[in-house]
């Protein structure tokens, strides 16, 4: 199949899946991020032509290069682990950073955003599975974390993100998606104003949506395997 038809078909399948899902927690306005890491610019250009407008990248250098080469700039989200010394490379190119997981990183985002008079939207990444190799903060520390950064002028926290382990059995990851929603609702009851839940990837976006995902991050189901 030609690449444009293939990408169109894959996107349509995800849209159909989203429409089909029924759940009391389902968000009306789900954003699908096409995770384009390692994928060529030509794929992004095809999707932009198909009116897909939000892309996710994991590596600062790759994001910056792709962004600069694109004539029509789509919306980019940064979804990977972010080193503080890479923030300056991407700050003027991203609409949302999903992976804030430490104060030092929040400080650097605040500083770089301030320099260009931007208020940078971010999500706080939570490590709910407690895997030591995973980034993200513990859910018991998130309220303190938010209090610590709430006076930062150039950063706005608009939600939470999580990435559980991969499992063939979606029911194994459902509790983590539910926990992210409940954590958001708890924080909002404490006066924070968090809307977004970035959760669900190619293998588990349906259960994530059932549990209230507002943003799903889909790579291989759109582009094929990496
Ligand atoms: C790569 C990646 C995705 C997409 O993964 P797929 O399984 O290909 O859909 C989503 N979120 C993050 C943080 C990623 O690094």
């Amino acid at each position: 199949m030609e690449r444009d038809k293939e990408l169109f078909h894959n996107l349509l399948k995800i849209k159909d899946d989203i429409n089909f899902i029924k759940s009391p927690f389902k968000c009306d306005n789900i954003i699908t991020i096409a995770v384009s890491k390692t994928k060529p610019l030509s794929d992004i250009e095809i999707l932009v032509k198909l009116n897909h407008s939000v892309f996710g990248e994991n590596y600062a250098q790759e994001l910056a290069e792709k962004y600069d080469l694109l004539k029509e700039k789509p919306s980019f989200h940064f979804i990977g682990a972010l080193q503080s010394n890479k923030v300056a490379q991407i700050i003027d190119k991203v609409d949302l950073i999903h992976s804030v997981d430490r104060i030092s990183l929040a400080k650097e985002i605040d500083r770089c955003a301030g320099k260009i008079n931007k208020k940078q939207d971010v999500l706080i990444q939570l490590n709910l599975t407690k895997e030591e190799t995973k980034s993200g903060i513990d859910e018991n520390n998130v309220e303190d974390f938010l209090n610590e950064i709430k006076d930062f002028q150039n950063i706005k926290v608009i939600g939470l993100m999580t990435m559980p382990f991969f499992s063939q059995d979606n029911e194994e990851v459902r509790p983590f998606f539910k926990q992210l929603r409940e954590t958001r609702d708890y924080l909002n009851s404490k006066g924070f104003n968090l809307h977004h839940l970035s959760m669900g990837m190619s293998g588990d976006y349906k259960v994530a949506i059932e549990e209230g995902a507002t943003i799903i991050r889909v790579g291989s189901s759109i582009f094929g395997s990496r």
Side-chain angles (χ1 to χ4, degrees), residues 7 23 26 55 58 71 73 82 85 90 100 102 110-111 117 134 151 157 160 166 169 188 193 196 211:
L7 292 176
S23 157
K26 184 182 172 186
F55 294 84
N58 286 51
K71 285 200 196 73
K73 315 285 186 202
L82 184 55
N85 64 5
I90 60 158
V100 173
R102 52 200 194 277
D110 185 55
R111 189 185 72 82
N117 277 318
K134 278 262 171 75
D151 294 328
V157 182
L160 306 175
F166 173 78
D169 179 2
N188 286 343
N193 186 13
H196 282 292
E211 293 301 332

Side-chain angles (χ1 to χ4, degrees), residues 33-37 56-59 78-81 98-99 125 161-163 166 198 200-205 216-226:
I33 305 183
V35 178
S36 46
K37 64 181 177 211
E57 291 281 344
N58 286 51
Y59 309 102
F78 193 85
I79 63 172
H98 290 229
S99 46
Q125 181 170 357
M161 181 272 224
T162 200
M163 187 158 93
F166 173 78
S198 168
M201 316 191 346
S202 292
D204 53 20
Y205 63 82
I216 56 173
R217 309 180 306 268
V218 185
S220 43
S221 286
I222 295 176
F223 295 102
S225 57
R226 281 180 298 276

Side-chain angles (χ1 to χ4, degrees), residues 6-163:
E6 196 174 323
L7 292 176
F8 178 73
H9 172 86
N10 292 346
L11 266 188
L12 205 60
K13 160 101 177 48
I14 293 162
K15 273 193 194 134
D16 277 352
D17 281 349
I18 293 174
N19 287 334
F20 198 70
I21 291 165
K22 292 208 170 32
S23 157
F25 303 114
K26 184 182 172 186
C27 165
D28 289 336
N29 216 335
I30 295 161
I31 299 166
T32 301
I33 305 183
V35 178
S36 46
K37 64 181 177 211
T38 78
K39 296 296 174 180
L41 204 65
S42 54
D43 277 358
I44 298 178
E45 286 167 337
I46 290 171
L47 286 171
V48 169
K49 280 215 184 82
L50 294 170
N51 278 324
H52 187 84
S53 56
V54 194
F55 294 84
E57 291 281 344
N58 286 51
Y59 309 102
Q61 179 85 21
E62 185 179 346
L63 187 151
E65 280 172 14
K66 283 174 169 169
Y67 185 92
D68 288 341
L69 288 169
L70 285 164
K71 285 200 196 73
E72 252 180 279
K73 315 285 186 202
S75 176
F76 275 105
H77 290 193
F78 193 85
I79 63 172
L82 184 55
Q83 289 170 270
S84 294
N85 64 5
K86 300 284 170 63
V87 173
Q89 260 183 40
I90 60 158
I91 195 77
D92 57 336
K93 302 177 176 66
V94 292
D95 287 323
L96 183 60
I97 298 172
H98 290 229
S99 46
V100 173
D101 61 356
R102 52 200 194 277
I103 298 293
S104 57
L105 175 60
K107 264 191 191 145
E108 180 61 5
I109 293 171
D110 185 55
R111 189 185 72 82
C112 292
K115 276 191 174 174
I116 58 167
N117 277 318
K118 181 183 189 187
K119 190 143 185 159
Q120 178 66 58
D121 286 340
V122 305
L123 307 177
I124 307 302
Q125 181 170 357
L126 298 194
N127 179 358
L128 300 175
T129 55
K130 320 277 187 209
E131 294 159 278
E132 284 186 10
T133 53
K134 278 262 171 75
S135 36
I137 63 180
D138 190 286
E139 76 272 17
N140 296 311
N141 300 332
V142 65
E143 188 174 355
D144 287 345
F145 188 92
L146 288 172
N147 278 319
E148 237 182 290
I149 66 174
K150 74 172 187 293
D151 294 328
F152 289 16
Q153 292 300 306
N154 294 93
I155 208 166
K156 186 177 177 202
V157 182
I158 62 170
L160 306 175
M161 181 272 224
T162 200
M163 187 158 93

